[in-house]
Amino acid sequence: MTGEQIRATLKKYSLQSWSKQKDINPISVKEAEGIYFWDYDGNRYSDMSSQLVNMNLGFGNKQIGDAIKAQVDQYCFVGPGYGAQSRAKLAKKIVELMPDNIGKVFFTNAGAEANENAVKMARIVTGRHKVMSRYRSYHGASFGAGNLTGEPRRFALEPGIPGFVKFFDPYVYREAIRFETEEAATAYYLEKLEEQIRYEGKDAIAAIVLETITGSNGVIIPPQGYLPGAKALCEKYGIIMICDEVMTGWCRTGKMFGFENFDIEPDIVTFAKGVTCGYVPLGGVAVSKEIAAYFDDKLLSCGLTYSGHPLGCAAGVACIEYYEEANILENVARSGKALGEQLERLKNEHPCVGDVRYIGLFSAVELVKDKETREALVPYGEDPSGVMKSILGMLKERRFMTYTHENIIIVAPPLTITEKQIAEEIAKLDEVLGVVDKEYI
Ligand SMILES: Cc1ncc(COP(=O)(O)O)c(C=O)c1O
């Protein structure tokens, strides 16, 4: 097929996620290597969002490909009740990478299912039914995970599941109150959270689900002390803390898992994306020893045909080995520092940049009409004149590929990116922000 034939066939026969179908116009990808991919006309694009913040090791990693091929040669599949070596190896590796309190892993196909199963386990173990999650969150698109999700992508599922309660995020930049210190912000948000726990009925809440660092909704990094404080509240009220590490896991934030930046030990960790870097889909739920022990003599009422798919697990083992052997965390520290410096420069130089937030190679550029008032470039949940779409279009013209959410541009390149590549790519973003300064604010 030609690139045009692929595009036309997809437009005619397939439905694309989160899109008005008449608007879709997929780039047909012919080749891909490292942080780049090429279309059928030979144009090179830079992947500045690691696709959906999942291809942490970029395209064309031979070690992962070889591990998948070796598993294909042994066998592609045996059911979850059989012993597959890649499944055993991956479960052990993941538990060893997690904090000491974590005991076992339940594998899923991807992130939404991981969250679904985490909530199910928390409800079974606690005998409670309510689940709290935040407004500015994305936890997946399936029915349960979509109900955990707080942002507008949950609306199509409403009226939602009874007992799924939302609370506010520690989104300090966009808060009406100006806090003197991070600690003051933390105290405010934790007090509100505790109040809400009591209003909801402290004995009814099974779990609090949080993206350790909010991802798609704007890389919202919690203020100092917030996560340990939330964990303390969970302990006080017998609530299970579920950290959604689907995006923040696997070296993305400069640590193997995002929660390591905040010195907490979650009761449950959900993961997907970077565990296999998208080479084969896989996700999972890592649970505390206590929760694992609960299921020693109680039924684990969870199951999937493809739980622990041998190909996914083989890819997972290869990814983890690569993260470790290639010292990916060192590159994240080096390139992440370069990215942070560039983003700070953009914030200083462009009136349209209200805030930049970054940790490791996970970052967001928040666009505003006015730096002083912090008025967002587009109002929440609305972009009637397609401003953000135009901005994305200008980035695409420069072959800088990423996605936006509300008034925010996500920059989260593969973790193998070099400092030189960061400088080359940010120069493109710089140019586009110059146009936004002149034409959109
Ligand atoms: C934080 C978070 N949780 C869950 C999910 C859902 O994962 P999946 O699309 O693999 O089901 C995503 C996807 O973007 C995510 O960012």
Side-chain angles (χ1 to χ4, degrees):
M1 282 172 136
T2 63
E4 193 41 51
Q5 282 167 338
I6 295 170
R7 185 165 30 248
T9 309
L10 284 170
K11 279 173 76 101
K12 186 164 179 193
Y13 294 105
S14 81
L15 289 167
Q16 188 178 302
S17 351
W18 311 119
S19 309
K20 287 183 185 152
Q21 301 303 310
K22 69 171 174 34
D23 294 344
I24 68 169
N25 190 26
I27 296 171
S28 298
V29 179
K30 188 168 187 204
E31 286 167 74
E33 183 63 43
I35 71 159
Y36 304 114
F37 56 94
W38 287 262
D39 66 17
Y40 281 66
D41 297 321
N43 297 306
R44 191 187 81 174
Y45 301 80
S46 304
D47 184 2
M48 292 306 285
S49 64
S50 310
Q51 295 297 298
L52 299 179
V53 199
N54 64 323
M55 291 204 82
N56 287 5
L57 293 172
F59 297 102
N61 184 298
K62 192 169 168 344
Q63 216 158 299
I64 310 170
D66 286 347
I68 297 167
K69 286 178 200 159
Q71 184 62 59
V72 169
D73 288 343
Q74 189 190 8
Y75 50 76
C76 286
F77 181 73
V78 288
Y82 292 91
Q85 179 176 276
S86 60
R87 189 180 289 154
K89 275 192 173 173
L90 185 61
K92 178 167 185 280
K93 266 189 179 298
I94 291 173
V95 170
E96 284 172 357
L97 285 173
M98 293 266 171
D100 279 350
N101 71 314
I102 296 292
K104 287 186 181 175
V105 178
F106 175 76
F107 288 114
T108 64
N109 292 299
E113 279 177 358
N115 287 323
E116 300 263 349
N117 283 285
V119 165
K120 199 167 172 185
M121 287 186 214
R123 283 176 150 191
I124 296 170
V125 168
T126 59
R128 302 170 174 186
H129 76 284
K130 286 198 175 180
V131 184
M132 294 180 69
S133 58
R134 295 189 297 211
Y135 280 106
R136 289 195 72 104
S137 70
Y138 182 72
H139 295 290
S142 55
F143 208 90
N147 268 273
L148 289 175
T149 293
E151 50 122 307
R153 282 183 279 182
R154 83 170 191 277
F155 294 157
L157 294 166
E158 293 192 318
I161 300 173
F164 278 50
V165 176
K166 299 292 173 295
F167 64 104
F168 283 101
D169 318 71
Y171 191 5
V172 176
Y173 176 71
R174 214 144 263 305
E175 190 57 69
I177 304 165
R178 294 278 174 268
F179 300 106
E180 295 275 307
T181 60
E182 286 199 28
E183 288 74 12
T186 290
Y188 171 80
Y189 291 112
L190 290 178
E191 207 178 299
K192 287 282 161 208
L193 177 57
E194 183 162 19
E195 199 178 348
Q196 203 177 346
I197 290 170
R198 280 194 259 105
Y199 288 163
E200 285 297 332
K202 59 184 174 42
D203 299 327
I205 302 163
I208 290 183
V209 185
L210 320 114
E211 288 178 72
T212 315
I213 295 165
T214 299
S216 298
N217 279 260
V219 186
I220 303 169
I221 303 167
Q224 247 343 296
Y226 176 83
L227 285 170
K231 178 70 172 61
L233 288 177
C234 286
E235 279 168 17
K236 181 171 172 186
Y237 294 109
I239 297 168
I240 287 176
M241 182 190 230
I242 301 175
C243 280
D244 179 340
E245 287 272 339
V246 169
M247 223 177 232
T248 50
W250 313 109
C251 304
R252 173 58 58 192
T253 69
K255 304 273 184 193
M256 186 53 82
F257 299 104
F259 59 76
E260 291 173 37
N261 292 292
F262 306 101
D263 207 19
I264 52 160
E265 293 188 349
D267 302 303
I268 295 185
V269 180
T270 58
F271 62 86
K273 297 196 188 258
V275 67
T276 55
C277 295
Y279 283 62
V280 182
L282 188 85
V285 186
V287 303
S288 69
K289 289 176 178 153
E290 213 179 318
I291 294 173
Y294 177 91
F295 290 109
D296 280 345
D297 52 14
K298 305 256 186 352
L299 183 72
L300 177 68
S301 191
C302 302
L304 299 157
T305 298
Y306 299 129
S307 177
H309 196 293
L311 289 180
C313 290
V317 172
C319 279
I320 294 176
E321 282 173 359
Y322 197 89
Y323 287 132
E324 289 174 334
E325 286 160 20
N327 230 328
I328 290 298
L329 283 174
E330 237 172 57
N331 195 60
V332 176
R334 201 170 33 243
S335 294
K337 182 167 177 285
L339 175 64
E341 285 165 4
Q342 294 274 6
L343 294 179
E344 289 294 348
R345 179 179 64 74
L346 295 182
K347 183 171 138 183
N348 287 334
E349 293 176 3
H350 292 282
C352 69
V353 177
D355 196 22
V356 290
R357 296 182 286 274
Y358 50 87
I359 180 165
L361 282 165
F362 198 34
S363 70
V365 177
E366 177 151 358
L367 303 180
V368 290
K369 283 196 173 149
D370 184 318
K371 259 193 214 285
E372 283 304 306
T373 64
R374 302 188 181 184
E375 184 190 349
L377 187 64
V378 293
Y380 185 78
E382 292 169 41
D383 186 7
S385 43
V387 170
M388 293 307 291
K389 203 171 156 202
S390 310
I391 294 171
L392 208 52
M394 289 191 280
L395 289 169
K396 188 174 165 188
E397 276 166 23
R398 289 159 179 81
R399 313 286 187 231
F400 180 113
M401 302 306 290
T402 187
Y403 63 92
T404 60
H405 186 91
E406 303 292 341
N407 59 326
I408 291 161
I409 303 171
I410 301 292
V411 182
L415 309 182
T416 48
I417 196 167
T418 63
E419 290 161 284
K420 182 167 171 278
Q421 287 170 323
I422 295 260
E424 286 165 5
E425 299 306 324
I426 295 296
K428 300 176 191 171
L429 179 58
D430 197 355
E431 225 178 87
V432 170
L433 294 173
V435 180
V436 179
D437 288 337
K438 283 202 198 85
E439 293 178 17
Y440 292 89
I441 64 173

